[in-house]
Amino acid sequence: MDDPAPDLDSRDLRLRDVVAALESLYPLESAADWDRVGLVTGEPDQPVRRILLALDPTLAVIDEAREWGADLLVTHHPLLLRGVHSVATTSAKGASVTALVRAGVALWVGHTNADVADPGVSSVLADALGLVDQRPLSDDRAGRVGRLASAVSLAEFAETVATALPATAGGIRVSGDPDGSVRTVAVMGGSGDDRFGDVRASGADVYVTADLRHHPVLEAREEARGGRPYLVDAGHWATESLWLQSCRGRLLARLGEQATATRVETRVSAIRTEPWTFVVGANAARPARAVPPTGGVS
């Protein structure tokens, strides 16, 4: 059971203090131009005694924040990434904003600025997979490339990924020879099928990411002529959710450097915001056998 929040006194953190700490760890200027990060709701001078961290600001997560008495909700994914023209409660976005404001729960978002941070979303994923000698995957510092301690088969590596990440309904999808040898690994937490050029340039044997679509994957496998880099789709929620504990620890450490930071509780949401609930027919289809050459009689 969580301890009750203490009464307000001079040692209470203010929202502006926590936001400053977060933005020193995940600077807003490092976010992509199209992204919408930073403080979404909240009064800068409001006290912050309880901070909830979650991947997505869903209605269920917001309810959890309200019920726990959180003063601040920190999420990876934005609530208002695309323009909205109404926050009436007739829409989910409107209901979310209204619930946050009514409950006095501030919302702060760290998205692509957390992706490119070090440590950040992809470096935490790389650490979980045991990668050493890490470096950025791309010029914008998104993603990571590193090496395993020793080469393993693609099948063994996929098992490692499944063990290291939270379980999901969809499991792990793999494209490549199960017996193929892999050691150099590229990772990109979340959606990553726009980075195949960077992956090829990195010399990676296998690429771990999420949200892989049919046409980009088919083209990437054609370019590889069936060889390396192999592909592993480990799920959006699973590849990014590990970052939450890292963010929590770094935030507490940074707040601990402040003389007034003595009265704050934090926790990571227990709600799984992965949208999938079950799959049917997984592994029912197997790779087609090679078509025999024509011209003979059999």
Side-chain angles (χ1 to χ4, degrees):
M1 179 180 295
D2 297 300
D3 295 329
D7 294 332
L8 176 65
D9 70 17
S10 60
R11 292 181 295 169
D12 279 309
L13 287 167
R14 300 291 172 172
L15 178 58
R16 67 172 72 254
D17 302 320
V18 184
V19 167
L22 284 165
E23 293 178 2
S24 70
L25 298 171
Y26 310 106
L28 302 189
E29 58 269 22
S30 66
D33 292 341
W34 50 263
D35 206 2
R36 298 294 179 265
V37 296
L39 190 62
V40 180
T41 65
E43 164 55 51
D45 286 325
Q46 73 184 67
V48 174
R49 305 168 188 170
R50 286 180 171 173
I51 304 171
L52 181 68
L53 297 93
L55 199 67
D56 300 280
T58 63
L59 288 167
V61 167
I62 292 170
D63 283 343
E64 180 187 10
R66 294 166 60 195
E67 291 168 5
W68 183 49
D71 305 294
L72 172 62
L73 173 60
V74 173
T75 67
H76 180 51
H77 292 139
L79 174 62
L80 303 173
L81 182 59
R82 297 173 179 83
V84 297
H85 305 287
S86 169
V87 290
T89 57
T90 50
S91 72
K93 296 292 186 186
S96 298
V97 172
T98 299
L100 288 166
V101 172
R102 282 181 172 173
V105 179
L107 172 63
W108 186 91
V109 173
H111 191 209
T112 52
N113 49 324
D115 288 339
V116 300
D118 184 15
V121 172
S122 290
S123 68
V124 171
L125 174 58
D127 290 343
L129 299 181
L131 303 187
V132 298
D133 298 332
Q134 294 180 26
R135 65 184 190 273
L137 171 62
S138 59
D139 290 340
D140 63 3
R141 307 194 67 77
R144 304 292 285 179
V145 181
R147 294 185 303 109
L148 298 169
S150 60
V152 298
S153 71
L154 178 60
E156 290 173 312
F157 177 70
E159 291 291 343
T160 297
V161 175
T163 300
L165 300 186
T168 66
I172 307 294
R173 297 190 300 170
V174 185
S175 180
D177 178 2
D179 297 322
S181 178
V182 300
R183 187 172 188 188
T184 301
V185 181
V187 302
M188 174 75 76
S191 302
D193 66 12
D194 60 340
R195 300 286 180 162
F196 289 142
D198 292 326
V199 173
R200 285 191 291 270
S202 76
D205 300 315
V206 61
Y207 178 38
V208 181
T209 187
D211 296 345
L212 295 182
R213 297 168 295 167
H214 175 88
H215 294 296
V217 168
L218 188 60
E219 291 174 3
R221 299 303 294 139
E222 289 281 281
E223 289 295 333
R225 305 300 194 272
R228 302 179 187 88
Y230 304 125
L231 303 177
V232 176
D233 186 330
H236 199 123
W237 179 83
T239 57
E240 292 187 329
S241 60
L242 297 178
W243 169 76
L244 296 172
Q245 286 290 359
S246 171
C247 177
R248 175 180 178 271
R250 295 188 73 205
L251 176 60
L252 285 174
R254 184 58 52 91
L255 292 175
E257 298 169 2
Q258 302 180 21
T260 60
T262 58
R263 302 167 70 86
V264 63
E265 297 175 70
T266 63
R267 77 181 190 190
V268 172
S269 173
I271 295 175
R272 298 170 58 87
T273 54
E274 181 194 24
W276 306 111
T277 53
F278 65 94
V279 296
V280 175
N283 286 327
R286 296 293 183 178
R289 301 175 66 179
V291 178
T294 59
V297 177
S298 61

